[in-house]
Amino acid sequence: MAARYIAIAEDLQARIAGGQWEVGAFLPSEPELASQYSVSRETLRAALRQLEEAGLIARRKGQGTRVVRLQPAQEFHTKLSSIEELAQYGRTAVRSILSTELVTVDDGLADDLGVPAGTVRTRITSTRQEPADGGRPLSWAQVYLSPEHATLISDELRDSDRLVAELIAEHTGRQVKRVLQHIKATVLDGDAAKALGELPGSVALQLTRRYIGTDGEILAVAVSTHPGSRFVYESVLERS
């Protein structure tokens, strides 16, 4: 069975790469594919799991199997254990600023930012590209900071790959003491999907980071979204 499902997965991958199904198109149903390859549905599903893990297809119960890319996704692994490593990641993953605007924080965003609803914040929307992956966007991020801090770093922002919080700390004479991070599963909305070259509704990981100074003030909050098919976040737990 193992050899059979792998062979089926390789054949389906070749058919997808060859353009038999375009991105966004649906594969034939499981019964149809199982009949084509003369195998059980269990064997066929094992083959489809291989394609799903490679980031080629997305399966949803009751909707079918949809092609989401023509070539296997290259995963981006990030392993961060300190603020220094996080700052270094900011320097190696190239940032492209998409927009800078003033927004009024609503109830849904207030908890994430740690400010009352109605507070005005500057929102910086950007993508990060990894040069080793051919410059493909690996994240879509929105960073929220006070308008005063945004003014301080405005001249440097577009030409610097440093973290926004790091720039603020330098201009204010403060230091980032802690970074509180929250990770959750989500799906890509239209703006994020377009920026990342993915299909809307695709599974993603969302990382929310609060950068806190030595005086306890939140210097910036970054909400970054990563394609679930090609992003892996690693952490190490050690016994104290």
Side-chain angles (χ1 to χ4, degrees):
M1 173 183 170
R4 184 61 178 143
Y5 82 78
I6 291 174
I8 293 170
E10 290 175 346
D11 185 64
L12 285 171
Q13 179 175 328
R15 292 167 70 181
I16 290 172
Q20 184 168 343
W21 299 287
E22 297 180 349
V23 172
F26 285 88
L27 297 185
S29 67
E30 289 185 5
E32 289 179 86
L33 286 174
S35 177
Q36 285 182 25
Y37 288 104
S38 300
V39 295
S40 67
R41 290 184 66 175
E42 287 73 19
T43 301
L44 188 277
R45 286 171 180 163
L48 292 178
R49 279 195 296 271
Q50 297 289 306
L51 299 185
E52 191 171 29
E53 290 172 2
L56 293 170
I57 62 172
R59 294 190 292 168
R60 290 190 179 181
K61 189 174 181 180
Q63 296 184 17
T65 302
R66 184 172 57 171
V67 176
V68 297
R69 67 175 68 249
L70 300 182
Q71 297 293 335
Q74 179 174 344
E75 290 185 341
F76 176 77
H77 286 249
T78 180
K79 181 179 178 181
L80 305 174
S81 58
S82 68
I83 294 175
E84 289 75 19
E85 288 181 3
L86 183 57
Q88 183 60 35
Y89 160 71
R91 294 187 179 95
T92 57
V94 180
R95 177 173 55 216
S96 295
I97 303 295
L98 302 180
S99 65
T100 301
E101 58 192 335
L102 288 175
V103 297
T104 300
V105 176
D106 59 21
D107 291 332
L109 192 57
D111 287 341
D112 287 338
L113 302 190
V115 298
T119 303
V120 174
R121 282 289 180 260
T122 295
R123 180 171 66 197
I124 302 167
T125 303
S126 65
T127 58
R128 288 274 187 181
Q129 293 83 36
E130 175 59 38
D133 191 20
R136 293 177 63 199
L138 59 91
S139 71
W140 181 81
Q142 293 186 312
V143 180
Y144 297 85
L145 61 157
S146 71
E148 294 78 13
H149 287 164
T151 299
L152 289 176
I153 67 172
S154 60
D155 291 339
E156 295 181 55
L157 189 58
R158 291 188 179 275
D159 297 323
S160 175
D161 288 326
R162 297 170 65 190
L163 298 174
V164 169
E166 195 179 17
L167 292 174
I168 294 172
E170 182 177 282
H171 279 272
T172 60
R174 299 174 182 176
Q175 182 182 23
V176 177
K177 179 67 174 178
R178 291 187 299 154
V179 179
L180 301 182
Q181 179 169 266
H182 175 74
I183 304 174
K184 70 176 183 179
T186 187
V187 295
L188 297 177
D189 63 19
D191 291 339
K194 182 178 179 180
L196 294 169
E198 301 283 339
L199 288 174
S202 300
V203 175
L205 279 178
Q206 186 178 85
L207 283 70
T208 300
R209 293 187 177 114
R210 291 187 189 182
Y211 295 84
I212 301 173
T214 51
D215 57 359
E217 181 185 358
I218 298 175
L219 301 180
V221 177
V223 182
S224 59
T225 305
H226 304 258
S229 61
R230 53 189 174 91
F231 182 82
V232 176
Y233 186 87
E234 300 178 12
S235 62
V236 176
L237 304 179
E238 295 183 354
R239 189 178 299 279
S240 60

